[in-house]
Amino acid sequence: GQNIDQPTEMTATEGAIVQINCTYQTSGFNGLFWYQQHAGEAPTFLSYNVLDGLEEKGRFSSFLSRSKGYSYLLLKELQMKDSASYLCAVRSDRGSTLGRLYFGRGTQLTVWP
Amino acid sequence: DTEVTQTPKHLVMGMTNKKSLKCEQHMGHRAMYWYKQKAKKPPELMFVYSYEKLSINESVPSRFSPECPNSSLLNLHLHALQPEDSALYLCASSQSQGNYGYTFGSGTRLTVV
């Protein structure tokens, strides 16, 4: 089976740094994605990791450790507009489920002024 | 063109109606997906088309009928839906089923009355 775990809610203040963790246990692995989703809108792509290490893109960074089944999304210099749900998703590399994304439940981040 | 376009954005239908959701992309992507998302839940995969052929059906009830007329278009035909089918329906595409990230459309907010 597939199990992807991330915290349900987090809060932080404007200008701060927040780290959203994701742990996964899946029967196949072909990359881990982070998406941002504002209420009532579609998910938008933030980052992709397939090899161990840190990927940095502006205020957002994502880290992956395949041996530990662990990833985190780091958001720096938080802004009010960063209040959203953050979805961790693992892509399968197996046969009939090839390419399928398995999503975690999402972490609702609230940024306070 | 780097978008996935979904129409309509909102749809209200009765339980005896027949309606269709439409999804279009012109990025040359050969894999297309339908996801269903309930409030405060992650997206759930419904169908995957790869090279215009249905490759994954996640045991979706027959009242949902997908169709892929060509490599740019994906439809979801709806008939005799139930109120619990009310959700955000998301279309996504990727270059191929096994590789690359998804691009999501903005979704259709469906309400069944």
Side-chain angles (χ1 to χ4, degrees):
Chain A
Q2 321 296 335
N3 186 38
I4 299 168
D5 196 32
Q6 52 181 129
T8 307
E9 293 178 330
M10 296 184 73
T11 59
T13 52
E14 221 174 353
I17 298 173
V18 72
Q19 178 174 312
I20 304 175
N21 295 324
C22 172
T23 57
Y24 64 90
Q25 291 173 301
T26 55
S27 55
F29 180 84
N30 189 20
L32 187 143
F33 296 80
W34 285 96
Y35 285 87
Q36 180 192 61
Q37 187 175 27
H38 287 97
E41 298 181 10
T44 54
F45 171 79
L46 288 179
S47 71
Y48 167 63
N49 296 71
V50 68
L51 299 176
D52 291 352
L54 188 68
E55 294 282 340
E56 297 187 81
K57 193 188 286 188
R59 294 190 299 115
F60 297 89
S61 304
S62 57
F63 172 82
L64 175 68
S65 169
R66 288 171 296 169
S67 62
K68 294 180 179 168
Y70 168 68
S71 173
Y72 68 72
L73 179 70
L74 193 71
L75 295 82
K76 302 176 188 173
E77 300 168 17
L78 281 174
Q79 303 174 9
M80 299 291 289
K81 67 178 182 180
D82 297 328
S83 293
S85 180
Y86 291 85
L87 297 163
C88 172
V90 173
R91 183 171 57 200
S92 170
D93 66 349
R94 297 291 168 90
S96 63
T97 63
L98 180 66
R100 176 180 174 169
L101 283 187
Y102 293 92
F103 284 90
R105 290 186 170 275
T107 298
Q108 183 63 46
L109 174 66
T110 303
V111 179
W112 299 103
Chain B
D1 188 352
T2 57
E3 288 188 348
V4 174
T5 303
Q6 286 188 246
T7 54
K9 293 201 183 307
H10 300 275
L11 178 63
V12 179
M13 61 185 288
M15 290 189 282
T16 58
N17 291 159
K18 282 186 183 181
K19 296 285 184 184
S20 296
L21 309 185
K22 186 174 172 180
C23 174
E24 197 166 358
Q25 56 87 15
H26 297 286
M27 295 178 280
H29 288 179
R30 303 312 301 267
M32 296 184 78
Y33 310 81
W34 279 115
Y35 277 84
K36 172 183 176 179
Q37 187 176 26
K38 304 280 271 186
K40 301 193 178 191
K41 300 283 187 183
E44 296 175 5
L45 183 65
M46 299 174 73
F47 303 104
V48 180
Y49 273 83
S50 180
Y51 291 85
E52 295 136 64
K53 287 187 175 16
L54 183 65
S55 67
I56 295 177
N57 176 344
E58 288 290 301
S59 303
V60 179
S62 59
R63 58 185 185 269
F64 296 91
S65 174
E67 180 198 19
C68 190
N70 59 57
S71 59
S72 300
L73 270 179
L74 185 66
N75 298 321
L76 186 63
H77 303 297
L78 313 172
H79 174 53
L81 294 194
Q82 304 295 311
E84 58 264 29
D85 296 322
S86 298
L88 180 68
Y89 287 84
L90 294 163
C91 174
S93 70
S94 63
Q95 267 198 351
S96 66
Q97 188 172 344
N99 291 303
Y100 308 102
Y102 286 18
T103 301
F104 279 93
S106 56
T108 295
R109 174 71 60 190
L110 174 68
T111 304
V112 181
V113 297

